[in-house]
Amino acid sequence: MKVLMINGSPRGNGNSYIALHEMEKIFAQAGVETKIVHVGNKAIRGCIACGSCAKNGRCVFDDLVNETAPM
């Protein structure tokens, strides 16, 4: 199993990261692979329900979503 943890805080190493890092330790003890992605200081567009992701496998907005989705 893999778990993607998203840090929405603009402070990459702040309290949210500390909490996610603690969860990362717990998951590791259970043999679960984790990845922390920082999105709080990135420009990410909202979904416009165009359906392009279903047709092309990618969002029409080339941002962190396309980079993170394959994880």
Tab-separated table of all heavy atoms in Angstrom:
chain	number	residue	atom	x	y	z
A	1	MET	N	0.844	-1.164	0.000
A	1	MET	CA	0.000	0.000	0.000
A	1	MET	C	0.891	1.230	0.000
A	1	MET	O	1.970	1.239	0.582
A	1	MET	CB	-0.912	0.016	1.227
A	1	MET	CG	-1.795	1.237	1.252
A	1	MET	SD	-2.741	1.542	2.770
A	1	MET	CE	-3.521	0.009	3.083
A	2	LYS	N	0.420	2.296	-0.655
A	2	LYS	CA	1.126	3.570	-0.672
A	2	LYS	C	0.168	4.657	-0.197
A	2	LYS	O	-1.025	4.611	-0.488
A	2	LYS	CB	1.587	3.914	-2.082
A	2	LYS	CG	2.604	2.958	-2.638
A	2	LYS	CD	3.021	3.385	-4.022
A	2	LYS	CE	4.016	2.408	-4.609
A	2	LYS	NZ	4.420	2.825	-5.960
A	3	VAL	N	0.709	5.638	0.532
A	3	VAL	CA	-0.094	6.749	1.029
A	3	VAL	C	0.542	8.049	0.555
A	3	VAL	O	1.740	8.270	0.761
A	3	VAL	CB	-0.186	6.736	2.573
A	3	VAL	CG1	-0.876	7.979	3.078
A	3	VAL	CG2	-0.902	5.494	3.050
A	4	LEU	N	-0.249	8.883	-0.091
A	4	LEU	CA	0.196	10.207	-0.506
A	4	LEU	C	-0.314	11.204	0.527
A	4	LEU	O	-1.509	11.316	0.754
A	4	LEU	CB	-0.357	10.554	-1.887
A	4	LEU	CG	-0.045	11.954	-2.394
A	4	LEU	CD1	1.463	12.141	-2.572
A	4	LEU	CD2	-0.769	12.211	-3.705
A	5	MET	N	0.608	11.906	1.167
A	5	MET	CA	0.244	12.900	2.183
A	5	MET	C	0.499	14.275	1.599
A	5	MET	O	1.586	14.547	1.069
A	5	MET	CB	1.064	12.670	3.452
A	5	MET	CG	0.794	11.317	4.070
A	5	MET	SD	1.587	11.053	5.668
A	5	MET	CE	3.291	10.905	5.191
A	6	ILE	N	-0.494	15.145	1.677
A	6	ILE	CA	-0.412	16.467	1.063
A	6	ILE	C	-0.310	17.523	2.146
A	6	ILE	O	-1.168	17.618	3.020
A	6	ILE	CB	-1.639	16.722	0.168
A	6	ILE	CG1	-1.656	15.667	-0.954
A	6	ILE	CG2	-1.612	18.128	-0.393
A	6	ILE	CD1	-2.857	15.709	-1.837
A	7	ASN	N	0.764	18.306	2.069
A	7	ASN	CA	0.982	19.409	3.000
A	7	ASN	C	0.500	20.685	2.321
A	7	ASN	O	1.132	21.177	1.396
A	7	ASN	CB	2.471	19.512	3.357
A	7	ASN	CG	2.755	20.596	4.375
A	7	ASN	OD1	1.878	21.360	4.733
A	7	ASN	ND2	3.990	20.657	4.834
A	8	GLY	N	-0.608	21.217	2.790
A	8	GLY	CA	-1.188	22.419	2.210
A	8	GLY	C	-0.698	23.704	2.836
A	8	GLY	O	-1.110	24.792	2.428
A	9	SER	N	0.194	23.615	3.784
A	9	SER	CA	0.703	24.805	4.452
A	9	SER	C	1.746	25.509	3.589
A	9	SER	O	2.566	24.862	2.946
A	9	SER	CB	1.352	24.414	5.784
A	9	SER	OG	2.007	25.533	6.361
A	10	PRO	N	1.754	26.849	3.588
A	10	PRO	CA	2.798	27.555	2.858
A	10	PRO	C	4.170	27.405	3.524
A	10	PRO	O	5.194	27.674	2.908
A	10	PRO	CB	2.339	29.009	2.858
A	10	PRO	CG	1.374	29.123	3.967
A	10	PRO	CD	0.765	27.762	4.158
A	11	ARG	N	4.194	26.953	4.759
A	11	ARG	CA	5.459	26.721	5.475
A	11	ARG	C	5.800	25.236	5.348
A	11	ARG	O	5.263	24.394	6.063
A	11	ARG	CB	5.323	27.119	6.933
A	11	ARG	CG	5.080	28.602	7.079
A	11	ARG	CD	5.086	29.002	8.528
A	11	ARG	NE	4.800	30.421	8.606
A	11	ARG	CZ	3.906	30.963	9.380
A	11	ARG	NH1	3.198	30.196	10.197
A	11	ARG	NH2	3.707	32.259	9.393
A	12	GLY	N	6.696	24.940	4.444
A	12	GLY	CA	7.030	23.555	4.124
A	12	GLY	C	7.513	22.725	5.290
A	12	GLY	O	7.325	21.515	5.316
A	13	ASN	N	8.131	23.343	6.289
A	13	ASN	CA	8.646	22.596	7.439
A	13	ASN	C	7.973	23.019	8.742
A	13	ASN	O	8.566	22.898	9.810
A	13	ASN	CB	10.167	22.779	7.549
A	13	ASN	CG	10.889	22.091	6.412
A	13	ASN	OD1	10.544	20.989	6.038
A	13	ASN	ND2	11.866	22.761	5.842
A	14	GLY	N	6.751	23.506	8.650
A	14	GLY	CA	6.025	23.966	9.831
A	14	GLY	C	5.310	22.845	10.558
A	14	GLY	O	5.653	21.657	10.444
A	15	ASN	N	4.287	23.222	11.308
A	15	ASN	CA	3.548	22.254	12.130
A	15	ASN	C	2.853	21.173	11.310
A	15	ASN	O	2.795	20.014	11.732
A	15	ASN	CB	2.528	22.979	13.015
A	15	ASN	CG	3.194	23.789	14.098
A	15	ASN	OD1	4.287	23.464	14.537
A	15	ASN	ND2	2.545	24.858	14.526
A	16	SER	N	2.326	21.542	10.149
A	16	SER	CA	1.671	20.533	9.299
A	16	SER	C	2.676	19.480	8.866
A	16	SER	O	2.377	18.280	8.869
A	16	SER	CB	1.043	21.186	8.065
A	16	SER	OG	0.006	22.047	8.452
A	17	TYR	N	3.883	19.910	8.496
A	17	TYR	CA	4.919	18.958	8.108
A	17	TYR	C	5.294	18.058	9.287
A	17	TYR	O	5.462	16.861	9.117
A	17	TYR	CB	6.165	19.660	7.578
A	17	TYR	CG	7.289	18.684	7.347
A	17	TYR	CD1	7.279	17.849	6.230
A	17	TYR	CD2	8.319	18.534	8.269
A	17	TYR	CE1	8.274	16.916	6.030
A	17	TYR	CE2	9.318	17.604	8.074
A	17	TYR	CZ	9.297	16.797	6.952
A	17	TYR	OH	10.276	15.871	6.759
A	18	ILE	N	5.407	18.645	10.463
A	18	ILE	CA	5.755	17.856	11.650
A	18	ILE	C	4.706	16.768	11.879
A	18	ILE	O	5.044	15.603	12.133
A	18	ILE	CB	5.898	18.757	12.893
A	18	ILE	CG1	7.129	19.663	12.734
A	18	ILE	CG2	5.997	17.930	14.167
A	18	ILE	CD1	7.221	20.785	13.760
A	19	ALA	N	3.433	17.126	11.752
A	19	ALA	CA	2.357	16.140	11.937
A	19	ALA	C	2.419	15.055	10.858
A	19	ALA	O	2.287	13.863	11.153
A	19	ALA	CB	1.000	16.834	11.907
A	20	LEU	N	2.643	15.464	9.615
A	20	LEU	CA	2.743	14.482	8.531
A	20	LEU	C	3.954	13.575	8.723
A	20	LEU	O	3.892	12.372	8.457
A	20	LEU	CB	2.825	15.193	7.181
A	20	LEU	CG	1.547	15.882	6.713
A	20	LEU	CD1	1.812	16.704	5.455
A	20	LEU	CD2	0.440	14.878	6.478
A	21	HIS	N	5.042	14.148	9.191
A	21	HIS	CA	6.253	13.359	9.424
A	21	HIS	C	6.013	12.317	10.520
A	21	HIS	O	6.501	11.189	10.425
A	21	HIS	CB	7.421	14.276	9.785
A	21	HIS	CG	8.727	13.579	9.875
A	21	HIS	ND1	9.327	12.967	8.793
A	21	HIS	CD2	9.545	13.365	10.924
A	21	HIS	CE1	10.457	12.420	9.186
A	21	HIS	NE2	10.613	12.639	10.474
A	22	GLU	N	5.253	12.673	11.555
A	22	GLU	CA	4.907	11.712	12.600
A	22	GLU	C	4.052	10.579	12.024
A	22	GLU	O	4.247	9.414	12.355
A	22	GLU	CB	4.183	12.400	13.760
A	22	GLU	CG	5.078	13.301	14.590
A	22	GLU	CD	6.240	12.555	15.224
A	22	GLU	OE1	6.020	11.479	15.822
A	22	GLU	OE2	7.388	13.046	15.116
A	23	MET	N	3.110	10.919	11.159
A	23	MET	CA	2.290	9.890	10.511
A	23	MET	C	3.147	9.011	9.611
A	23	MET	O	2.928	7.800	9.520
A	23	MET	CB	1.152	10.523	9.706
A	23	MET	CG	0.068	11.126	10.567
A	23	MET	SD	-0.655	9.962	11.745
A	23	MET	CE	-1.221	8.652	10.686
A	24	GLU	N	4.124	9.613	8.962
A	24	GLU	CA	5.037	8.866	8.107
A	24	GLU	C	5.750	7.767	8.905
A	24	GLU	O	5.899	6.637	8.435
A	24	GLU	CB	6.054	9.840	7.506
A	24	GLU	CG	6.936	9.284	6.441
A	24	GLU	CD	7.801	10.365	5.829
A	24	GLU	OE1	8.346	11.213	6.567
A	24	GLU	OE2	7.949	10.341	4.601
A	25	LYS	N	6.150	8.079	10.117
A	25	LYS	CA	6.803	7.096	10.992
A	25	LYS	C	5.859	5.945	11.322
A	25	LYS	O	6.251	4.776	11.300
A	25	LYS	CB	7.276	7.758	12.294
A	25	LYS	CG	8.392	8.748	12.133
A	25	LYS	CD	8.708	9.368	13.483
A	25	LYS	CE	9.580	10.576	13.389
A	25	LYS	NZ	9.778	11.223	14.708
A	26	ILE	N	4.613	6.272	11.623
A	26	ILE	CA	3.613	5.251	11.973
A	26	ILE	C	3.343	4.343	10.773
A	26	ILE	O	3.292	3.120	10.904
A	26	ILE	CB	2.321	5.903	12.492
A	26	ILE	CG1	2.603	6.580	13.840
A	26	ILE	CG2	1.187	4.890	12.604
A	26	ILE	CD1	1.508	7.499	14.315
A	27	PHE	N	3.193	4.949	9.598
A	27	PHE	CA	2.979	4.153	8.390
A	27	PHE	C	4.177	3.253	8.109
A	27	PHE	O	4.013	2.100	7.716
A	27	PHE	CB	2.702	5.047	7.181
A	27	PHE	CG	1.315	5.627	7.142
A	27	PHE	CD1	1.118	6.995	6.992
A	27	PHE	CD2	0.199	4.816	7.236
A	27	PHE	CE1	-0.152	7.538	6.938
A	27	PHE	CE2	-1.090	5.339	7.180
A	27	PHE	CZ	-1.261	6.704	7.040
A	28	ALA	N	5.382	3.771	8.300
A	28	ALA	CA	6.595	2.986	8.049
A	28	ALA	C	6.642	1.755	8.955
A	28	ALA	O	7.049	0.673	8.517
A	28	ALA	CB	7.835	3.853	8.247
A	29	GLN	N	6.221	1.911	10.206
A	29	GLN	CA	6.192	0.780	11.139
A	29	GLN	C	5.238	-0.314	10.657
A	29	GLN	O	5.438	-1.487	10.942
A	29	GLN	CB	5.786	1.242	12.536
A	29	GLN	CG	6.828	2.080	13.225
A	29	GLN	CD	6.314	2.659	14.540
A	29	GLN	OE1	5.154	2.531	14.894
A	29	GLN	NE2	7.210	3.316	15.263
A	30	ALA	N	4.216	0.099	9.932
A	30	ALA	CA	3.233	-0.851	9.406
A	30	ALA	C	3.610	-1.344	8.005
A	30	ALA	O	2.846	-2.065	7.372
A	30	ALA	CB	1.846	-0.207	9.379
A	31	GLY	N	4.779	-0.909	7.510
A	31	GLY	CA	5.233	-1.337	6.193
A	31	GLY	C	4.574	-0.623	5.038
A	31	GLY	O	4.546	-1.131	3.918
A	32	VAL	N	4.036	0.557	5.297
A	32	VAL	CA	3.337	1.322	4.270
A	32	VAL	C	4.277	2.387	3.710
A	32	VAL	O	4.884	3.154	4.458
A	32	VAL	CB	2.067	1.990	4.845
A	32	VAL	CG1	1.387	2.861	3.817
A	32	VAL	CG2	1.111	0.934	5.378
A	33	GLU	N	4.380	2.426	2.401
A	33	GLU	CA	5.211	3.424	1.718
A	33	GLU	C	4.468	4.760	1.687
A	33	GLU	O	3.262	4.801	1.423
A	33	GLU	CB	5.496	2.955	0.298
A	33	GLU	CG	6.419	3.848	-0.478
A	33	GLU	CD	6.653	3.335	-1.886
A	33	GLU	OE1	6.466	2.132	-2.130
A	33	GLU	OE2	7.015	4.163	-2.734
A	34	THR	N	5.188	5.853	1.951
A	34	THR	CA	4.555	7.176	1.964
A	34	THR	C	5.328	8.158	1.102
A	34	THR	O	6.506	7.968	0.808
A	34	THR	CB	4.483	7.757	3.391
A	34	THR	OG1	5.807	7.890	3.899
A	34	THR	CG2	3.641	6.903	4.302
A	35	LYS	N	4.641	9.214	0.724
A	35	LYS	CA	5.240	10.326	0.003
A	35	LYS	C	4.552	11.593	0.487
A	35	LYS	O	3.325	11.657	0.547
A	35	LYS	CB	5.033	10.144	-1.502
A	35	LYS	CG	5.464	11.293	-2.352
A	35	LYS	CD	6.953	11.303	-2.550
A	35	LYS	CE	7.326	12.428	-3.509
A	35	LYS	NZ	8.731	12.587	-3.665
A	36	ILE	N	5.352	12.603	0.877
A	36	ILE	CA	4.800	13.895	1.283
A	36	ILE	C	5.003	14.878	0.136
A	36	ILE	O	6.113	15.032	-0.373
A	36	ILE	CB	5.477	14.431	2.556
A	36	ILE	CG1	5.233	13.491	3.740
A	36	ILE	CG2	4.965	15.841	2.878
A	36	ILE	CD1	5.962	13.884	5.017
A	37	VAL	N	3.924	15.523	-0.279
A	37	VAL	CA	3.980	16.526	-1.341
A	37	VAL	C	3.565	17.860	-0.737
A	37	VAL	O	2.520	17.962	-0.085
A	37	VAL	CB	3.042	16.146	-2.506
A	37	VAL	CG1	3.030	17.236	-3.564
A	37	VAL	CG2	3.457	14.826	-3.108
A	38	HIS	N	4.378	18.879	-0.974
A	38	HIS	CA	4.088	20.225	-0.475
A	38	HIS	C	3.365	21.017	-1.562
A	38	HIS	O	3.907	21.210	-2.648
A	38	HIS	CB	5.383	20.939	-0.082
A	38	HIS	CG	6.156	20.210	0.971
A	38	HIS	ND1	5.845	20.289	2.299
A	38	HIS	CD2	7.195	19.356	0.888
A	38	HIS	CE1	6.675	19.528	2.984
A	38	HIS	NE2	7.502	18.943	2.151
A	39	VAL	N	2.145	21.447	-1.281
A	39	VAL	CA	1.360	22.199	-2.265
A	39	VAL	C	0.997	23.603	-1.786
A	39	VAL	O	0.475	24.392	-2.561
A	39	VAL	CB	0.062	21.446	-2.658
A	39	VAL	CG1	0.379	20.096	-3.245
A	39	VAL	CG2	-0.898	21.329	-1.500
A	40	GLY	N	1.292	23.907	-0.537
A	40	GLY	CA	0.845	25.165	0.053
A	40	GLY	C	1.392	26.419	-0.594
A	40	GLY	O	0.769	27.468	-0.539
A	41	ASN	N	2.528	26.325	-1.247
A	41	ASN	CA	3.102	27.513	-1.878
A	41	ASN	C	3.140	27.378	-3.399
A	41	ASN	O	3.875	28.073	-4.077
A	41	ASN	CB	4.515	27.771	-1.338
A	41	ASN	CG	5.438	26.588	-1.526
A	41	ASN	OD1	5.033	25.545	-1.996
A	41	ASN	ND2	6.684	26.750	-1.159
A	42	LYS	N	2.322	26.487	-3.943
A	42	LYS	CA	2.274	26.263	-5.390
A	42	LYS	C	0.969	26.800	-5.966
A	42	LYS	O	-0.066	26.783	-5.313
A	42	LYS	CB	2.343	24.763	-5.711
A	42	LYS	CG	3.466	24.020	-5.061
A	42	LYS	CD	4.746	24.252	-5.789
A	42	LYS	CE	5.744	23.283	-5.294
A	42	LYS	NZ	6.978	23.447	-5.002
A	43	ALA	N	1.044	27.259	-7.199
A	43	ALA	CA	-0.163	27.714	-7.904
A	43	ALA	C	-0.830	26.498	-8.540
A	43	ALA	O	-0.270	25.878	-9.434
A	43	ALA	CB	0.205	28.733	-8.971
A	44	ILE	N	-2.001	26.151	-8.048
A	44	ILE	CA	-2.742	25.005	-8.565
A	44	ILE	C	-4.135	25.479	-8.943
A	44	ILE	O	-4.857	26.041	-8.119
A	44	ILE	CB	-2.831	23.870	-7.527
A	44	ILE	CG1	-1.426	23.401	-7.158
A	44	ILE	CG2	-3.673	22.723	-8.051
A	44	ILE	CD1	-1.393	22.393	-6.049
A	45	ARG	N	-4.509	25.233	-10.182
A	45	ARG	CA	-5.823	25.653	-10.661
A	45	ARG	C	-6.900	24.695	-10.179
A	45	ARG	O	-6.650	23.509	-10.001
A	45	ARG	CB	-5.842	25.658	-12.197
A	45	ARG	CG	-4.911	26.643	-12.861
A	45	ARG	CD	-5.480	28.052	-12.860
A	45	ARG	NE	-6.816	28.123	-13.386
A	45	ARG	CZ	-7.138	28.522	-14.620
A	45	ARG	NH1	-6.203	28.859	-15.467
A	45	ARG	NH2	-8.396	28.578	-14.994
A	46	GLY	N	-8.082	25.200	-10.017
A	46	GLY	CA	-9.217	24.364	-9.652
A	46	GLY	C	-9.755	23.617	-10.862
A	46	GLY	O	-9.541	24.019	-12.005
A	47	CYS	N	-10.458	22.552	-10.613
A	47	CYS	CA	-11.050	21.750	-11.678
A	47	CYS	C	-12.166	22.532	-12.362
A	47	CYS	O	-12.997	23.176	-11.708
A	47	CYS	CB	-11.604	20.459	-11.087
A	47	CYS	SG	-12.351	19.368	-12.316
A	48	ILE	N	-12.185	22.469	-13.703
A	48	ILE	CA	-13.255	23.118	-14.463
A	48	ILE	C	-14.179	22.077	-15.109
A	48	ILE	O	-15.010	22.420	-15.943
A	48	ILE	CB	-12.692	24.081	-15.531
A	48	ILE	CG1	-11.791	23.339	-16.517
A	48	ILE	CG2	-11.969	25.254	-14.869
A	48	ILE	CD1	-11.376	24.164	-17.731
A	49	ALA	N	-14.027	20.816	-14.726
A	49	ALA	CA	-14.875	19.712	-15.182
A	49	ALA	C	-14.936	19.598	-16.699
A	49	ALA	O	-15.978	19.322	-17.279
A	49	ALA	CB	-16.279	19.836	-14.589
A	50	CYS	N	-13.775	19.773	-17.357
A	50	CYS	CA	-13.735	19.697	-18.819
A	50	CYS	C	-13.636	18.259	-19.316
A	50	CYS	O	-13.880	17.977	-20.485
A	50	CYS	CB	-12.573	20.519	-19.369
A	50	CYS	SG	-10.934	19.896	-18.959
A	51	GLY	N	-13.230	17.324	-18.438
A	51	GLY	CA	-13.134	15.923	-18.810
A	51	GLY	C	-11.836	15.555	-19.513
A	51	GLY	O	-11.650	14.407	-19.915
A	52	SER	N	-10.942	16.490	-19.673
A	52	SER	CA	-9.680	16.215	-20.364
A	52	SER	C	-8.851	15.164	-19.643
A	52	SER	O	-8.185	14.347	-20.289
A	52	SER	CB	-8.863	17.502	-20.514
A	52	SER	OG	-7.653	17.242	-21.163
A	53	CYS	N	-8.892	15.155	-18.325
A	53	CYS	CA	-8.112	14.174	-17.571
A	53	CYS	C	-8.579	12.757	-17.885
A	53	CYS	O	-7.766	11.833	-18.001
A	53	CYS	CB	-8.181	14.466	-16.082
A	53	CYS	SG	-9.845	14.476	-15.395
A	54	ALA	N	-9.867	12.573	-18.066
A	54	ALA	CA	-10.395	11.250	-18.393
A	54	ALA	C	-10.023	10.848	-19.817
A	54	ALA	O	-9.732	9.685	-20.084
A	54	ALA	CB	-11.916	11.227	-18.227
A	55	LYS	N	-10.017	11.814	-20.732
A	55	LYS	CA	-9.700	11.521	-22.128
A	55	LYS	C	-8.206	11.360	-22.361
A	55	LYS	O	-7.777	10.459	-23.082
A	55	LYS	CB	-10.218	12.650	-23.029
A	55	LYS	CG	-11.713	12.753	-23.093
A	55	LYS	CD	-12.127	13.949	-23.929
A	55	LYS	CE	-13.604	14.246	-23.745
A	55	LYS	NZ	-13.971	15.555	-24.267
A	56	ASN	N	-7.406	12.262	-21.771
A	56	ASN	CA	-5.972	12.319	-22.073
A	56	ASN	C	-5.073	11.857	-20.941
A	56	ASN	O	-3.864	11.788	-21.109
A	56	ASN	CB	-5.577	13.749	-22.453
A	56	ASN	CG	-6.373	14.268	-23.621
A	56	ASN	OD1	-6.644	13.545	-24.566
A	56	ASN	ND2	-6.773	15.532	-23.561
A	57	GLY	N	-5.649	11.617	-19.772
A	57	GLY	CA	-4.846	11.202	-18.630
A	57	GLY	C	-4.058	12.328	-17.994
A	57	GLY	O	-3.166	12.092	-17.193
A	58	ARG	N	-4.363	13.563	-18.362
A	58	ARG	CA	-3.681	14.746	-17.823
A	58	ARG	C	-4.674	15.899	-17.704
A	58	ARG	O	-5.587	16.009	-18.506
A	58	ARG	CB	-2.550	15.212	-18.737
A	58	ARG	CG	-1.405	14.262	-18.873
A	58	ARG	CD	-0.320	14.805	-19.791
A	58	ARG	NE	0.221	16.087	-19.374
A	58	ARG	CZ	1.160	16.260	-18.441
A	58	ARG	NH1	1.641	15.206	-17.806
A	58	ARG	NH2	1.606	17.450	-18.134
A	59	CYS	N	-4.408	16.757	-16.744
A	59	CYS	CA	-5.196	17.981	-16.605
A	59	CYS	C	-4.767	18.971	-17.685
A	59	CYS	O	-3.598	19.000	-18.083
A	59	CYS	CB	-4.962	18.583	-15.213
A	59	CYS	SG	-5.896	20.092	-14.905
A	60	VAL	N	-5.711	19.783	-18.159
A	60	VAL	CA	-5.371	20.795	-19.167
A	60	VAL	C	-4.469	21.873	-18.581
A	60	VAL	O	-3.744	22.539	-19.309
A	60	VAL	CB	-6.621	21.453	-19.795
A	60	VAL	CG1	-7.397	20.449	-20.614
A	60	VAL	CG2	-7.496	22.109	-18.755
A	61	PHE	N	-4.520	22.044	-17.272
A	61	PHE	CA	-3.646	23.001	-16.605
A	61	PHE	C	-2.381	22.266	-16.190
A	61	PHE	O	-2.428	21.361	-15.361
A	61	PHE	CB	-4.328	23.620	-15.387
A	61	PHE	CG	-5.624	24.307	-15.712
A	61	PHE	CD1	-6.804	23.897	-15.124
A	61	PHE	CD2	-5.667	25.351	-16.614
A	61	PHE	CE1	-7.998	24.519	-15.415
A	61	PHE	CE2	-6.860	25.979	-16.929
A	61	PHE	CZ	-8.024	25.558	-16.328
A	62	ASP	N	-1.252	22.629	-16.755
A	62	ASP	CA	-0.021	21.915	-16.490
A	62	ASP	C	0.614	22.457	-15.204
A	62	ASP	O	1.459	23.344	-15.232
A	62	ASP	CB	0.951	22.055	-17.661
A	62	ASP	CG	2.068	21.045	-17.594
A	62	ASP	OD1	1.915	20.018	-16.911
A	62	ASP	OD2	3.111	21.291	-18.215
A	63	ASP	N	0.187	21.914	-14.086
A	63	ASP	CA	0.701	22.341	-12.792
A	63	ASP	C	1.068	21.115	-11.960
A	63	ASP	O	1.247	20.026	-12.500
A	63	ASP	CB	-0.301	23.254	-12.068
A	63	ASP	CG	-1.667	22.634	-11.868
A	63	ASP	OD1	-1.777	21.379	-11.916
A	63	ASP	OD2	-2.643	23.361	-11.655
A	64	LEU	N	1.146	21.276	-10.684
A	64	LEU	CA	1.556	20.200	-9.784
A	64	LEU	C	0.631	18.984	-9.843
A	64	LEU	O	1.047	17.872	-9.542
A	64	LEU	CB	1.655	20.739	-8.346
A	64	LEU	CG	2.232	19.825	-7.301
A	64	LEU	CD1	3.707	19.537	-7.614
A	64	LEU	CD2	2.127	20.444	-5.934
A	65	VAL	N	-0.603	19.182	-10.275
A	65	VAL	CA	-1.556	18.066	-10.359
A	65	VAL	C	-1.021	17.005	-11.324
A	65	VAL	O	-0.997	15.819	-11.009
A	65	VAL	CB	-2.956	18.564	-10.796
A	65	VAL	CG1	-3.873	17.391	-11.099
A	65	VAL	CG2	-3.548	19.450	-9.725
A	66	ASN	N	-0.574	17.422	-12.498
A	66	ASN	CA	-0.055	16.455	-13.480
A	66	ASN	C	1.225	15.784	-12.985
A	66	ASN	O	1.482	14.636	-13.301
A	66	ASN	CB	0.214	17.135	-14.819
A	66	ASN	CG	-1.077	17.448	-15.561
A	66	ASN	OD1	-2.076	16.769	-15.381
A	66	ASN	ND2	-1.044	18.471	-16.376
A	67	GLU	N	1.996	16.508	-12.228
A	67	GLU	CA	3.236	15.956	-11.679
A	67	GLU	C	2.956	14.937	-10.568
A	67	GLU	O	3.637	13.927	-10.446
A	67	GLU	CB	4.080	17.102	-11.129
A	67	GLU	CG	5.428	16.726	-10.622
A	67	GLU	CD	6.183	17.940	-10.093
A	67	GLU	OE1	6.083	19.031	-10.692
A	67	GLU	OE2	6.866	17.788	-9.056
A	68	THR	N	1.924	15.193	-9.778
A	68	THR	CA	1.625	14.378	-8.606
A	68	THR	C	0.691	13.206	-8.909
A	68	THR	O	0.808	12.153	-8.283
A	68	THR	CB	1.003	15.259	-7.506
A	68	THR	OG1	1.871	16.354	-7.258
A	68	THR	CG2	0.792	14.490	-6.220
A	69	ALA	N	-0.198	13.342	-9.846
A	69	ALA	CA	-1.221	12.323	-10.115
A	69	ALA	C	-0.655	10.928	-10.343
A	69	ALA	O	-1.220	9.953	-9.843
A	69	ALA	CB	-2.104	12.751	-11.276
A	70	PRO	N	0.440	10.745	-11.072
A	70	PRO	CA	0.937	9.386	-11.297
A	70	PRO	C	1.453	8.698	-10.031
A	70	PRO	O	1.668	7.492	-10.029
A	70	PRO	CB	2.102	9.579	-12.277
A	70	PRO	CG	1.835	10.885	-12.939
A	70	PRO	CD	1.160	11.702	-11.892
A	71	MET	N	1.676	9.418	-8.959
A	71	MET	CA	2.186	8.816	-7.728
A	71	MET	C	1.158	7.888	-7.194
A	71	MET	O	1.149	7.073	-6.500
A	71	MET	CB	2.531	9.889	-6.701
A	71	MET	CG	3.673	10.728	-7.121
A	71	MET	SD	4.012	11.921	-5.826
A	71	MET	CE	5.289	12.858	-6.606
